[in-house]
């Protein structure tokens, strides 16, 4: 061991001791049950109960992630492997340690809540995670979202990563090098995450997702922002998609078993869930559209985040987005009756890329070659529509590499190469499914019915389309099945659904150019055969 390494080890030991002293000198509630955490949260005024006794919290003004306040510490052991830029913004080591020290000072004298858990269902490929926070309900959120441990496991627990969570503490940008009072700082070498200035609970789990996205490729595992389910015959399927594309809805299929709804790894043994819970959107949730998810919102142990309650009855109003369109429910995965509690399955036979195309151009379903799969994986396309974000008055194309660019420490091409290899090795079929508009763009056409999308997805992952004749899309080169049981033929082929074919071709040409422009920004390291798999 070099002198520098010995000095670093010595300093790290002292930092660990300072955290241990904090936990020992303050009242620290360790690994409480959800019932105990609920009592503490209510007693401390952190939230309120619905008419059925379900806890709900409000996190305004932060009701979603703060991408501009996310940083990665630049240090010598990992710097050469991180794709620095607007996503992975470098943070100086000295600023990290200064910020850390002030967080410990802020937490000193407060009641603390500690949750020990696991991220990664695979016994050899996950990490031990410790969350320390001054809010009971955030500790409860960690209990719901990460993998829960047995009493024996807790007795011998040693964390690989620690999240110091201080939502009540705000940074000083001039002093600490942040952009605002809010910060999410990941230090891969130290094995720590600092979070402050935001009550939005999703920052806790997404920070650990980013850690796994960095670590797992070195273990020959592809980390993925996707949901996964399992058929009755043991056939697994993956569902990639950005917010609003139906990833959670379509994977929570009563005819298949749910492995997980958000984050998975794919390695030599197959796929495995990173989490022990689900974090489902609840805006406009109904028992008819998503019965399994709706039922969880009535179950004690679920946490509702930014859900409006009726002032007189305390009943949730899932149609009311005045707090946030990003209202969510956090619940243990076993609350879904057909969940795969082990969180593991074999190699997927199908992967589905979901996009909500607001231009009404992409076919509702099409099969992809391996090159096309890598192209659309790297593109990560969907479209935002009016009302989803401030300032959006018409459809806006959104591209997020690998359907999870905000969480990728490494270059997107590295993850794409891994996906291409896995597809070839295991003969996995890829599909592109448009859950957006047909017969015209947003405001002109109609959103594709969920019943049609479910029928198409079930046919694809069930193998019913393997022998169906296909028609090639003239603009995107996609293979469109001519028939799908339960779906009108005019819905399957986009030009047929438009009133004026020339309007379709103009819109298709415009979207194709958006794809090309985005792909040009990915850099020269993308192989030409993948670039050629895009629009013609």
């Amino acid at each position: 061991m070099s002198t520098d390494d010995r000095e670093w080890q010595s300093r790290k030991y002292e930092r660990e001791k300072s955290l241990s002293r904090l936990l020992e000198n303050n009242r620290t509630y360790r690994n409480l049950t959800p019932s105990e955490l609920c009592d503490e949260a209510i007693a401390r005024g952190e939230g309120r109960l619905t008419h059925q006794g379900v806890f709900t919290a409000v996190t305004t003004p932060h009701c979603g992630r703060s991408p501009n306040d996310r940083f990665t510490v630049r240090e010598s052991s990992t710097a050469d492997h991180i794709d620095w830029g607007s996503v992975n913004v470098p943070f100086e080591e000295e600023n990290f340690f200064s910020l850390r020290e002030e967080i410990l000072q802020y937490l000193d004298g407060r009641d603390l809540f500690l949750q020990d858990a696991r991220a990664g269902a695979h016994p050899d490929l996950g990490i031990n995670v410790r969350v320390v926070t001054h809010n009971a309900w955030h500790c409860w959120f960690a209990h719901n979202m990460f993998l829960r441990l047995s009493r024996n496991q807790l007795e011998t627990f040693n964390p690989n990563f620690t999240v110091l969570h201080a939502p009540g503490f705000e940074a000083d940008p001039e002093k600490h090098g942040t952009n605002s009072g809010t910060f999410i700082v990941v230090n891969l070498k130290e094995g720590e995450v600092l979070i402050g200035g935001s009550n939005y609970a999703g920052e806790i789990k997404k920070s650990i997702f980013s850690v796994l996205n960095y670590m797992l490729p070195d273990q020959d595992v592809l980390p993925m922002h996707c949901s996964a389910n399992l058929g009755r015959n043991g056939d697994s399927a993956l569902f990639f998609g950005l917010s609003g594309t139906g990833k959670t809805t379509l994977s929570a299929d009563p005819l298949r078993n749910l492995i997980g709804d958000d984050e998975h790894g794919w390695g030599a043994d197959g796929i495995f869930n990173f989490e022990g819970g689900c974090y489902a959107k609840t805006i406009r949730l109904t028992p008819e559209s998503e019965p399994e998810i709706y039922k969880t919102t009535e179950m004690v142990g679920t946490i509702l985040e930014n859900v409006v309650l009726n002032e007189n009855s305390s009943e949730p109003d899932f149609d009311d987005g005045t707090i946030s369109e990003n209202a969510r429910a956090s619940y243990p995965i076993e609350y879904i009756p057909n969940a795969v509690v082990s969180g593991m399955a074999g190699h997927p036979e199908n992967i589905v890329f979901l996009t909500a195309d607001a231009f009404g151009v992409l076919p509702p379903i099409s099969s992809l070659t391996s090159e096309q799969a890598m192209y659309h994986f790297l593109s990560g396309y969907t479209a935002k529509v009016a009302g989803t974000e401030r300032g959006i008055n018409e459809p806006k194309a959104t591209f997020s590499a690998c359907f999870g660019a905000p969480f990728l420490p490494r270059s997107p091409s590295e993850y794409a190469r891994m996906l291409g290899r896995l597809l070839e090795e295991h003969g996995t079929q890829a599909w592109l499914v448009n859950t957006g508009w047909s017969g015209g763009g947003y405001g002109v056409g109609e959103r594709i019915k969920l019943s049609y999308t479910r029928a198409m997805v079930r046919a694809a992952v069930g193998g019913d389309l393997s022998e169906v004749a296909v028609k090639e899309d003239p603009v995107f080169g996609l293979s469109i099945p001519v028939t799908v049981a339960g779906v009108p033929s005019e819905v399957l082929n986009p030009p047929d659904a438009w009133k004026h074919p020339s309007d379709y071709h103009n819109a298709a040409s415009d979207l194709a150019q958006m794809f090309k422009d985005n792909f040009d920004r990915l850099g020269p390291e993308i192989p030409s055969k993948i670039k050629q798999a895009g629009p013609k």
Side-chain angles (χ1 to χ4, degrees), residues 147-212:
L147 292 156
R148 292 160 288 281
L149 302 176
S150 67
R151 181 172 298 178
N152 289 339
Q153 290 172 315
L154 290 173
E155 288 176 355
T156 60
F157 184 87
N158 186 39
N160 302 116
F161 257 81
T162 298
V163 179
L164 291 178
H165 183 256
F169 174 82
E170 292 196 359
D172 180 341
E174 290 188 9
K175 182 179 181 181
H176 300 119
T178 59
N179 291 327
S180 70
T182 301
F183 56 90
I184 305 94
V185 186
V186 177
N187 192 323
L188 294 164
K189 183 177 181 180
E190 289 290 315
E192 285 191 344
V193 178
L194 309 180
I195 300 176
S198 171
N199 275 296
Y200 178 64
E203 300 286 15
I204 297 172
K205 83 181 199 91
K206 288 302 185 184
S207 64
I208 294 300
F209 181 31
S210 297
V211 169
L212 289 170

Side-chain angles (χ1 to χ4, degrees), residues 128 206 218 311 364 402 409:
N128 288 340
K206 288 302 185 184
D218 285 340
E311 287 302 320
C402 309

Side-chain angles (χ1 to χ4, degrees), residues 70-91 186-189 210-211 213-215 218 405-412 414-415:
R70 179 183 175 276
F71 305 91
T72 303
V73 174
R74 188 199 292 270
E75 44 78 26
S76 58
S77 69
T78 59
D80 292 343
H81 306 289
I82 292 176
D83 186 27
W84 300 107
S86 59
V87 171
N88 298 296
V89 180
F91 200 76
V186 177
N187 192 323
L188 294 164
K189 183 177 181 180
S210 297
V211 169
N213 278 351
Y214 176 81
M215 297 176 64
D218 285 340
F407 321 116
L408 303 182
R410 299 171 182 263
S411 169
E414 186 171 344
Y415 302 101

Side-chain angles (χ1 to χ4, degrees), residues 454-474:
R454 282 197 186 279
M456 290 183 282
V457 169
R458 285 172 176 169
V461 301
D464 298 338
L465 301 183
S466 59
E467 302 298 327
V468 172
V470 297
K471 177 180 181 180
E472 184 175 300
D473 179 280

